[in-house]
Amino acid sequence: MQLKIMPKKKHFSAGRVPLILFLCQMISALDVPLDSKLLGDLVQPPTITQQSPKDYIIDPRENIVIQCEAKGKPPPSFSWTRNGTHFDIDKDPLVTMKPGSGTLVINIMSEGKAETYEGVYQCTARNERGAAISNNIVVRPSRSPLWTKERLESIILHNGQSLVLPCRPPIGLPPAIIFWMDNSFQRLPQSERVSQGLNGDLYFSNVLPEDTREDYICYARFNHTQTIQQKQPISLKVISVDELNDTIAANLSDTEFYGAKPGKERPPTFLTPQGTESRKEELRGNVLSLECIAEGLPTPIIYWIKEDGTLPVNRTFYQNFKKTLQITQVSEADSGNYQCIAKNTLGAVHHTISVTVKAAPYWISAPQNLVLSPGENGTLICRANGNPKPRIGWLTNGVPVEIAPDDPSRKIDGDTIIFSNVQERSSAVYQCNASNEYGYLLANAFVNVLAEPPRILTSANILYQVIANRPALLDCAFFGSPLPTIEWFKGTKGSALHEDIYVLHDNGTLEIPVAQKDSTGTYTCVARNKLGMAKNEVHLEIKDPTRIIKQPEYAVVQRGSKVSFECKVKHDDTLIPTIMWLKDNGELPNDERFSVDKDHLVVTDVSDDDGGMYTCAANTTLDSVSASAVLRVVDVPNPPFDLELTNQLDKGVQLSWTPGDDNNSPITKFIIEYEDAMHEAGIWHHQTEVSGTQTTAQLTLSPYVNYSFRVMAENSIGRSVPSEASEQYLTKAAEPDQNPTAVEGLGTEPDNLVITWKPLNGFESNGPGLQYKVSWRQKDGDDEWTSVVVANVSKYIVSGTPTFVPYLIKVQALNDVGFAPEPAAVMGHSGEDLPMVAPGNVRVNVVNSTLAEVHWDPVPLKSVRGHLQGYRIYYWKAQSSSKRNRRHIEKKILTFQGNKTHGMLPGLQPYSHYVLNVRVVNGKGEGPASTDRGFHTPEGVPSAPSSLKIVNPTLDSLTLEWDPPSHPNGVLTEYTLRYQPINSTHELGPLVDLKIPANKTRWTLNHLNFSTRYKFYFYAQTSVGSGSQITEEAITTVDEGKLAGILPPDVGAGKVRAVNPRISNLTAAAAETYANISWEYEGPEHVKFYVEYGVAGSKEEWRKEIVNDSRSFFGLKGLMPGTAYKVRVGAEGDSGFVSSEDVFETGPAMASRQVDIATQGWFIGLMCAVALLILILLIVCFIRRNKGGKYPVKEKEDAHADPEIQPMKEDDGTFGEYSDAEDHKPLKKGSRTPSDRTVKKEDSDDSLVDYGEGVNGQFNEDGSFIGQYSGKKEKEPAEGNESSEAPSPVNAMNSFV
């Protein structure tokens, strides 16, 4: 249809509206907002900016508002036409026009009716440059009429018949939306069998008894007025054939029966559309809806095809159970034949719909506004398409161009107007109208002839900040007529910028595609036309990009643990970034478990809901970057549930379950456990394992077990808690399927056989009444098996058997159902007895001084009377008769496994006489010993001399005293002394060797150098060789006479002193954790000493202790037991000097041996004297007792209640009282130390250090030792390491008393 132009009747003024400037070209123009400087003097024809729709349906209950907004300079005035004639709004008090606008407001809420103002309206906006018009606006009030009253008869149908319930809603504006509901306003269910058509009718392909109801109601909803209209309810009853015939005969006439065909199975027929062909026409851009609804029994299924093509994939949709085909955004290409096919098991039916797509006019190229300068040329082009092809008509200022005033600059050529050499009078608004039978298009485009010099609209000195390596866009909005040319310059003296590096846009914008640091600077935009020139400066700064240098990383954590995401950002120093963390592109949860600290996001006590994507977003005013990482929260699986037992058999059952949540870690396997409620209630055992993809398992069961099962799931994190237990399942009893294990036959006595076995547990019994059948017979005889059935025990004893005879043994399980399979026989033996024969022909071959080899002949196996375990050698060191009386001979034992006939005896004492015998050993014990065989060990090298000390130093001599080796290991032949001088720089001089006879214990060296330090090496020798050496150092005294002549007069006045002070005779007496250090000093008085010590052989620094006053002793505390220490003493001050080093060893934590002093003559004499005194006391006591006198034993015991703690008397060194001999308490020793303070651990057998407790003693500052040495009970020597020392005095005293 063609737009009709309404004649103008009246002009109206309008308020200020925004203007749009146009950057012009010859053919088209670009709108730009005007700035405030241009608003006062720039003119523009009117432009319609807003209007009501062409088909304007109004709500009759509200005021009518017809919109019309326009802009222009000067502001346009407005006028309206109604139904083609001028609409004088001043004459109608209900009609007003909004100030500054052309919008009409018709007040019908107070009075008046909407139907009065129904019609076609058109708005005109006019100023001095032209007039623009709106579309024809058809105003119609919406209508929602009521249903016409009708009498609806009840419908009675036979089961299976088809039915259409008509709706036929009243015609409203706009059309109503139809739906079917019941009296309860519940939508009626629809399906492939029952559905609503596009016309609103309800179609039944076939009816069922369940369709019977009295409230089939069709509703029509009119959305514009928000009202719903209701049709009268329709009643439907579906009955069988017999019921239908009875009803017709009794009550109904033939005309009241709805339909005549019985409800039998039938092929499909279409209810809509009718026939085999139909036609459908649709407009371009709309939704094409095609419908086919069929009846039949069974219910037909609908299919759609396009005969000459395929259905468009992305625009085709099916509705109403595929009974409706919809194609959206339909175009002419969708025209064609569409076929719907209805099928059921009895046949098919087809219907073809011929679709034609028409088109209302649509734009190909709408005319654009022109801004021209005087003398320029231009064109307006209006191109549209449609089906059928639209007609193009031109209007100028709302008047058809054919009757408008002539304009010599204008020429019309169909859809194009050509302008040439325009002048200001050529300014006008042109309208293009494209119309056909389906609609029309109307477009306003003005021609505005202006003569304006260039103007730059962008503000001056704008600062642009751009991130490096990104495009920079520098704006230069401009206006001018004719259209100005734009040039850009950089800096004050730069040349014009060209498009080889830069991009110059038509709107004046300068684009730098990739801005670099050197792009920073001032840029100038220059606009020129024939009327003038304008320029503007802007500034550009290039910033470093914001980068995330440490991105958060993908994390997999277990539920309840902690996770941390790191995000480090590097940015331009002049930009301040804002760091924000997001979860799943939203804000972080408001939870105290989430904490953000500098570069980290930390989530504690992670839960399942915390899983997702975490994003670190860094934003500045110029750019933004982000990095994301996924958090996957995992945990052990949830336990399986819904355990079910199926396929229950005697020895099998199928267990099925439902897996629990895998908590983001796939389940790898399921573990099945069982409980035997009958035999081991509460104890779960492993049954089997299956793959994590299975949810069932076929289980093999044992008889007579009351089973319950549970399942656990396992993934890479761990194992779930067990599921709930399944129901119990009791299997039937059966005979045992296995026999006891670990069957053995061993005698405990020579005449019995003890048969033992590992009994079956309740689970293995397979039934009630578990017993065992025990059978036995001699292996080498022809006896029959002897059997006995015993209860559920694990042992049976056979008595009266021969000694050590092999037996065959069987133990078979049985229960109330039957016997287990026949067991295999095992061999056992009756009891053992002690061997009867000793090994013979014992021979000894001495290998060296500490090793001997023993040979013997084996005993007959029959005489062993048991399992041969080996041979045992007893050997000991032979002693003289006097020593044997005082000390028990301790024998050592070596056992050789198996049937060996020789063995080695290690660790023998050289130069000793040994005795040995050999015995055979079985499981019962040892047999008789062989005849004793003696042998001698040869000599060996001796141990080091027990002590070495230097006494009586003179100017040229030193005297050495020593004690012989504690273990000479033979006959000493001589001693070797080697010595050499040591100078002040600790360099060693020539070495001198000296041989000393073996019977000497003292030797004086003469002709030595005065005031010289010597180092001595001393060792003993036997015929075999030299033993270990002992070393010592000493210094000869100073020749004071020779020094007198060189000393100052005051030196040496009075008492003569040594010129060179020295510290000598450094000795150490050590206990377990203490050591008393003493020394001798020669030199000036009032010298402050210090003691330095450390672990011998280590590289640690010396530890230093300061000595109070000028005393010559000091006690070291806190030492480690059993450790060798080095020690030296020095003097502080300018003339500081240091003694030679000494080495001592602390005592062991537990006294391991006692010193044997019984070989000392003084001790033997003392013991004899004590024995004589005791004998005299006993005689006196006996005599007094016979005379009736009383011996004060009680007072004696009270005075010495605990003889162990009685100390040795300090004045004479005699011992306190002794304890009872049967207590084997060691003798208490005093705390005396030799005056020369040279006692060492190896110095003497009498050293108190060797058998002192150590932990109970300490040193006073004066060097005396406080407390007692408490001896230990004698311990049996270790096997093979018997000492050759004489008996200790403690043992000697105990044996004597």
Side-chain angles (χ1 to χ4, degrees):
M1 97 181 150
Q2 188 170 1
L3 174 67
K4 294 182 179 179
I5 305 303
M6 308 302 176
K8 50 188 177 181
K9 297 290 184 178
K10 190 174 181 181
H11 296 276
F12 295 89
S13 62
R16 271 177 78 179
V17 296
L19 293 179
I20 293 181
L21 277 180
F22 299 91
L23 235 137
C24 42
Q25 298 177 356
M26 284 298 291
I27 297 177
S28 61
L30 182 65
D31 290 344
V32 246
L34 286 172
D35 67 1
S36 58
K37 296 179 181 179
L38 296 177
L39 291 176
D41 56 0
L42 190 63
V43 295
Q44 176 180 313
T47 301
I48 300 294
T49 58
Q50 190 173 0
Q51 57 184 318
S52 294
K54 296 177 181 178
D55 190 6
Y56 186 26
I57 299 175
I58 62 174
D59 189 341
R61 299 168 300 178
E62 298 179 354
N63 291 337
I64 303 172
V65 178
I66 308 175
Q67 290 185 329
C68 180
E69 303 289 343
K71 64 179 180 179
K73 186 66 178 179
S77 60
F78 296 90
S79 63
W80 285 88
T81 62
R82 178 184 173 190
N83 296 327
T85 60
H86 174 66
F87 182 36
D88 192 349
I89 62 175
D90 293 335
K91 295 182 178 180
D92 192 336
L94 299 181
V95 181
T96 58
M97 185 182 295
K98 289 184 178 181
S101 167
T103 298
L104 296 181
V105 178
I106 304 173
N107 186 4
I108 61 173
M109 294 183 65
S110 58
E111 57 179 310
K113 294 182 180 181
E115 289 80 3
T116 306
Y117 296 94
E118 186 174 355
V120 179
Y121 293 80
Q122 188 177 45
C123 170
T124 300
R126 184 184 304 275
N127 67 8
E128 63 186 39
R129 289 276 170 155
I133 61 175
S134 71
N135 293 321
N136 282 342
I137 302 171
V138 180
V139 176
R140 293 183 294 170
S142 65
R143 297 179 179 86
S144 52
L146 298 176
W147 246 289
T148 57
K149 290 191 177 183
E150 56 184 334
R151 180 176 178 273
L152 300 176
E153 300 292 341
S154 296
I155 300 173
I156 300 176
L157 289 179
H158 183 267
N159 184 17
Q161 287 185 285
S162 62
L163 172 66
V164 179
L165 296 181
C167 179
R168 293 191 289 272
I171 299 175
L173 188 66
I177 297 174
I178 307 301
F179 50 91
W180 288 79
M181 295 195 299
D182 58 15
N183 278 330
S184 301
F185 294 98
Q186 298 297 316
R187 285 186 179 270
L188 296 176
Q190 298 190 24
S191 62
E192 291 178 342
R193 187 179 61 86
V194 181
S195 61
Q196 176 183 315
L198 294 176
N199 62 355
D201 292 348
L202 189 63
Y203 293 85
F204 293 78
S205 294
N206 49 78
V207 294
L208 299 175
E210 61 194 49
D211 296 327
T212 299
R213 63 189 310 146
E214 297 180 352
D215 55 352
Y216 284 93
I217 304 174
C218 181
Y219 288 87
R221 182 175 67 198
F222 299 92
N223 284 342
H224 212 78
T225 57
Q226 296 297 313
T227 57
I228 296 178
Q229 304 294 349
Q230 174 183 340
K231 185 182 178 73
Q232 292 293 322
I234 301 175
S235 175
L236 171 63
K237 184 176 182 181
V238 180
I239 59 176
S240 63
V241 175
D242 296 336
E243 293 173 325
L244 182 61
N245 292 334
D246 294 342
T247 303
I248 292 174
N251 301 314
L252 299 177
S253 65
D254 292 341
T255 59
E256 292 174 317
F257 177 64
Y258 190 92
K261 294 182 179 180
K264 297 181 180 179
E265 288 190 352
R266 59 193 180 278
T269 58
F270 283 111
L271 296 175
T272 184
Q274 301 291 328
T276 60
E277 295 182 355
S278 60
R279 305 183 66 82
K280 174 75 175 181
E281 188 176 278
E282 190 57 78
L283 289 181
R284 180 180 186 271
N286 289 349
V287 176
L288 172 65
S289 295
L290 304 179
E291 181 182 57
C292 282
I293 301 177
E295 65 89 19
L297 189 65
T299 302
I301 304 298
I302 303 297
Y303 302 92
W304 291 90
I305 60 172
K306 187 178 182 183
E307 291 183 355
D308 52 352
T310 58
L311 297 173
V313 177
N314 297 324
R315 297 184 292 116
T316 301
F317 302 93
Y318 296 99
Q319 305 291 339
N320 197 19
F321 308 97
K322 296 194 72 173
K323 298 175 185 178
T324 302
L325 170 68
Q326 288 186 339
I327 300 177
T328 60
Q329 292 295 319
V330 69
S331 66
E332 290 85 344
D334 296 319
S335 298
N337 292 329
Y338 292 80
Q339 190 177 91
C340 62
I341 305 166
K343 285 184 180 182
N344 68 5
T345 56
L346 300 181
V349 62
H350 304 261
H351 183 91
T352 301
I353 304 174
S354 179
V355 175
T356 303
V357 178
K358 298 292 185 177
Y362 56 92
W363 289 118
I364 296 176
S365 176
Q368 302 295 319
N369 297 327
L370 282 178
V371 177
L372 302 174
S373 61
E376 287 187 329
N377 303 324
T379 57
L380 289 179
I381 299 175
C382 177
R383 291 176 182 168
N385 200 358
N387 187 11
K389 183 75 175 178
R391 298 179 301 275
I392 302 296
W394 287 98
L395 300 93
T396 177
N397 296 328
V399 177
V401 70
E402 293 82 6
I403 62 174
D406 290 334
D407 185 352
S409 65
R410 178 183 68 211
K411 178 182 178 181
I412 298 176
D413 183 10
D415 58 4
T416 302
I417 300 179
I418 301 173
F419 297 94
S420 57
N421 192 23
V422 295
Q423 302 300 322
E424 274 196 56
R425 65 177 179 273
S426 301
S427 296
V429 180
Y430 289 85
Q431 290 83 33
C432 174
N433 180 19
S435 61
N436 65 12
E437 59 187 285
Y438 297 105
Y440 72 92
L441 292 174
L442 176 68
N444 290 276
F446 64 71
V447 175
N448 194 14
V449 181
L450 295 173
E452 292 290 333
R455 306 184 191 188
I456 295 180
L457 308 179
T458 301
S459 300
N461 295 313
I462 293 179
L463 175 63
Y464 291 91
Q465 294 179 329
V466 178
I467 297 297
N469 299 317
R470 293 189 182 181
L473 298 174
L474 308 184
D475 293 332
C476 183
F478 65 93
F479 176 75
S481 182
L483 181 68
T485 59
I486 301 297
E487 287 184 305
W488 281 91
F489 301 87
K490 182 180 180 183
T492 56
K493 297 181 180 180
S495 59
L497 304 179
H498 300 288
E499 293 195 8
D500 53 347
I501 300 176
Y502 303 91
V503 178
L504 301 177
H505 291 276
D506 292 339
N507 63 355
T509 298
L510 173 67
E511 178 182 353
I512 306 174
V514 182
Q516 302 291 340
K517 284 287 187 179
D518 58 4
S519 302
T520 300
T522 300
Y523 292 79
T524 303
C525 167
V526 178
R528 293 186 177 90
N529 68 7
K530 63 184 179 180
L531 301 178
M533 182 266 289
K535 66 178 180 178
N536 186 40
E537 288 186 351
V538 295
H539 308 282
L540 176 62
E541 290 182 357
I542 306 301
K543 304 292 184 181
D544 291 329
T546 305
R547 295 185 295 116
I548 296 178
I549 59 177
K550 177 65 176 177
Q551 298 186 359
E553 297 179 350
Y554 173 78
V556 179
V557 298
Q558 189 170 356
R559 182 193 301 149
S561 60
K562 181 174 77 171
V563 66
S564 176
F565 292 106
E566 184 178 7
C567 180
K568 288 187 177 180
V569 177
K570 185 177 181 181
H571 58 90
D572 191 282
D573 295 337
T574 62
L575 302 177
I576 300 176
T578 301
I579 309 298
M580 178 181 295
W581 285 91
L582 306 174
K583 179 181 183 296
D584 296 329
N585 297 322
E587 294 184 358
L588 290 177
N590 185 16
D591 192 329
E592 61 183 6
R593 297 182 300 107
F594 291 77
S595 61
V596 178
D597 181 17
K598 293 184 179 178
D599 303 329
H600 291 80
L601 166 66
V602 179
V603 186
T604 59
D605 191 18
V606 174
S607 65
D608 292 337
D609 294 338
D610 297 334
M613 184 175 68
Y614 288 82
T615 302
C616 165
N619 300 301
T620 67
T621 55
L622 299 182
D623 64 345
S624 63
V625 291
S626 64
S628 300
V630 173
L631 171 63
R632 187 160 66 96
V633 181
V634 299
D635 204 353
V636 299
N638 292 348
F641 56 93
D642 288 346
L643 271 66
E644 183 180 3
L645 298 177
T646 56
N647 298 339
Q648 297 178 356
L649 305 174
D650 289 346
K651 290 188 178 182
V653 71
Q654 180 172 289
L655 174 65
S656 59
W657 61 88
T658 301
D661 193 341
D662 64 3
N663 291 322
N664 297 323
S665 180
I667 296 174
T668 56
K669 64 180 177 180
F670 291 99
I671 299 94
I672 303 172
E673 295 182 336
Y674 71 89
E675 176 197 25
D676 182 2
M678 182 183 300
H679 304 104
E680 292 179 312
I683 300 176
W684 291 88
H685 302 276
H686 182 272
Q687 172 77 24
T688 188
E689 296 178 0
V690 298
S691 166
T693 59
Q694 293 184 228
T695 57
T696 61
Q698 190 67 37
L699 306 179
T700 301
L701 307 182
S702 295
Y704 199 57
V705 177
N706 195 7
Y707 281 98
S708 292
F709 299 97
R710 69 183 187 185
V711 184
M712 292 173 287
E714 186 175 294
N715 60 11
S716 60
I717 308 303
R719 184 174 294 183
S720 72
V721 298
S723 67
E724 295 290 334
S726 70
E727 59 181 309
Q728 291 186 344
Y729 177 52
L730 178 62
T731 55
K732 294 181 179 180
E735 66 274 3
D737 51 17
Q738 59 181 316
N739 286 301
T741 57
V743 177
E744 292 183 347
L746 295 174
T748 57
E749 297 296 335
D751 60 349
N752 74 2
L753 172 66
V754 179
I755 302 173
T756 60
W757 60 89
K758 181 181 179 182
L760 304 180
N761 57 37
F763 180 81
E764 298 167 334
S765 66
N766 287 3
L770 178 63
Q771 293 179 300
Y772 301 99
K773 178 183 177 183
V774 184
S775 305
W776 67 92
R777 71 177 177 86
Q778 288 192 24
K779 178 186 176 184
D780 299 327
D782 297 330
D783 299 344
E784 295 293 329
W785 287 92
T786 302
S787 301
V788 62
V789 176
V790 299
N792 188 11
V793 295
S794 62
K795 180 172 69 173
Y796 182 76
I797 301 175
V798 181
S799 302
T801 61
T803 301
F804 197 66
V805 173
Y807 277 85
L808 293 178
I809 303 165
K810 295 189 296 186
V811 180
Q812 184 179 22
L814 66 149
N815 60 18
D816 292 348
V817 179
F819 285 85
E822 184 68 21
V826 299
M827 191 176 75
H829 286 83
S830 57
E832 297 180 80
D833 206 347
L834 294 176
M836 297 185 297
V837 178
N841 194 19
V842 177
R843 305 173 301 282
V844 180
N845 177 29
V846 177
V847 179
N848 55 40
S849 61
T850 60
L851 180 65
E853 184 177 17
V854 183
H855 292 262
W856 61 89
D857 292 341
V859 300
L861 290 180
K862 289 187 177 180
S863 67
V864 177
R865 298 200 295 179
H867 296 283
L868 175 63
Q869 294 187 355
Y871 289 87
R872 189 169 293 163
I873 299 177
Y874 284 75
Y875 64 101
W876 62 94
K877 192 174 179 182
Q879 302 182 14
S880 64
S881 60
S882 60
K883 292 183 179 181
R884 286 198 297 270
N885 290 336
R886 291 193 302 271
R887 182 171 182 177
H888 175 69
I889 297 176
E890 297 181 4
K891 298 180 179 180
K892 298 180 181 179
I893 303 172
L894 281 178
T895 301
F896 300 91
Q897 303 290 336
N899 193 19
K900 288 192 175 181
T901 59
H902 68 280
M904 305 297 289
L905 300 182
L908 302 178
Q909 184 72 35
Y911 202 58
S912 301
H913 178 66
Y914 281 90
V915 179
L916 63 80
N917 58 49
V918 185
R919 311 176 191 195
V920 67
V921 183
N922 66 9
K924 189 70 173 179
E926 298 176 350
S930 67
T931 304
D932 290 350
R933 177 71 63 184
F935 64 94
H936 290 273
T937 55
E939 283 188 285
V941 297
S943 63
S946 299
S947 67
L948 175 64
K949 55 187 177 180
I950 292 88
V951 298
N952 301 330
T954 66
L955 288 174
D956 61 351
S957 68
L958 292 172
T959 300
L960 283 69
E961 292 182 354
W962 64 87
D963 289 323
S966 58
H967 299 291
N969 293 338
V971 178
L972 296 181
T973 58
E974 62 184 0
Y975 292 101
T976 299
L977 174 64
R978 307 172 71 195
Y979 64 94
Q980 58 189 147
I982 305 174
N983 62 19
S984 59
T985 61
H986 301 286
E987 294 178 351
L988 297 176
L991 191 63
V992 178
D993 281 4
L994 180 64
K995 302 296 184 181
I996 300 174
N999 59 350
K1000 299 293 185 178
T1001 59
R1002 180 183 177 95
W1003 196 265
T1004 300
L1005 295 175
N1006 296 312
H1007 309 296
L1008 303 176
N1009 298 327
F1010 70 92
S1011 188
T1012 301
R1013 178 181 295 275
Y1014 286 89
K1015 186 166 186 178
F1016 300 93
Y1017 311 90
F1018 191 64
Y1019 54 88
Q1021 287 180 288
T1022 64
S1023 61
V1024 177
S1026 302
S1028 301
Q1029 68 181 12
I1030 185 172
T1031 63
E1032 185 59 271
E1033 293 183 13
I1035 306 175
T1036 56
T1037 58
V1038 179
D1039 188 348
E1040 297 178 359
K1042 293 182 179 181
L1043 294 175
I1046 62 176
L1047 293 176
D1050 56 340
V1051 176
K1055 187 175 182 180
V1056 178
R1057 296 288 181 184
V1059 175
N1060 293 328
R1062 68 172 185 152
I1063 297 173
S1064 60
N1065 290 340
L1066 176 64
T1067 58
E1072 192 172 324
T1073 58
Y1074 302 86
N1076 191 17
I1077 311 301
S1078 61
W1079 61 91
E1080 293 180 1
Y1081 167 70
E1082 297 179 6
E1085 296 182 352
H1086 307 296
V1087 175
K1088 295 210 48 129
F1089 297 104
Y1090 61 86
V1091 176
E1092 291 183 320
Y1093 67 99
V1095 176
S1098 70
K1099 295 182 180 180
E1100 66 178 8
E1101 295 183 359
W1102 291 83
R1103 286 173 274 182
K1104 188 175 183 179
E1105 300 285 348
I1106 304 299
V1107 180
N1108 294 332
D1109 302 327
S1110 298
R1111 62 181 65 180
S1112 59
F1113 56 85
F1114 186 76
L1116 293 177
K1117 303 177 182 179
L1119 304 180
M1120 297 176 59
T1123 304
Y1125 284 89
K1126 58 184 179 180
V1127 66
R1128 67 186 181 188
V1129 178
E1132 294 187 327
D1134 296 336
S1135 60
F1137 51 91
V1138 181
S1139 70
S1140 61
E1141 296 180 14
D1142 190 20
V1143 178
F1144 66 91
E1145 185 173 354
T1146 54
M1150 296 291 292
S1152 60
R1153 65 183 183 94
Q1154 296 177 340
V1155 178
D1156 190 357
I1157 61 174
T1159 59
Q1160 304 297 320
W1162 65 269
F1163 184 80
I1164 295 174
L1166 176 61
M1167 293 298 101
C1168 292
V1170 172
L1172 182 58
L1173 288 174
I1174 293 176
L1175 181 59
I1176 295 172
L1177 285 175
L1178 290 174
I1179 294 172
V1180 172
C1181 180
F1182 180 79
I1183 295 173
R1184 291 191 62 183
R1185 182 182 181 93
N1186 288 340
K1187 291 183 178 181
K1190 295 182 179 179
Y1191 185 74
V1193 178
K1194 183 67 170 72
E1195 290 80 353
K1196 186 73 173 178
E1197 292 175 350
D1198 292 340
H1200 305 284
D1202 188 358
E1204 277 192 37
I1205 63 173
Q1206 299 302 317
M1208 183 180 75
K1209 297 179 182 179
E1210 290 291 325
D1211 54 347
D1212 57 2
T1214 59
F1215 291 91
E1217 292 189 340
Y1218 304 112
S1219 63
D1220 187 2
E1222 294 180 0
D1223 292 338
H1224 298 287
K1225 300 295 173 94
L1227 180 65
K1228 303 299 177 183
K1229 304 291 287 183
S1231 60
R1232 302 272 182 164
T1233 305
S1235 60
D1236 58 8
R1237 303 183 182 275
T1238 59
V1239 177
K1240 297 182 181 177
K1241 183 173 182 181
E1242 292 103 12
D1243 282 349
S1244 171
D1245 284 345
D1246 295 336
S1247 172
L1248 299 178
V1249 178
D1250 285 340
Y1251 54 93
E1253 273 282 327
V1255 296
N1256 298 323
Q1258 59 184 356
F1259 292 98
N1260 277 341
E1261 290 187 357
D1262 60 0
S1264 61
F1265 192 70
I1266 306 301
Q1268 296 86 25
Y1269 289 98
S1270 172
K1272 294 289 184 181
K1273 291 183 179 181
E1274 185 181 15
K1275 300 168 69 174
E1276 290 295 327
E1279 184 176 305
N1281 295 309
E1282 183 180 1
S1283 174
S1284 62
E1285 297 175 358
S1288 70
V1290 177
N1291 291 334
M1293 182 174 290
N1294 288 340
S1295 62
F1296 178 79
V1297 176

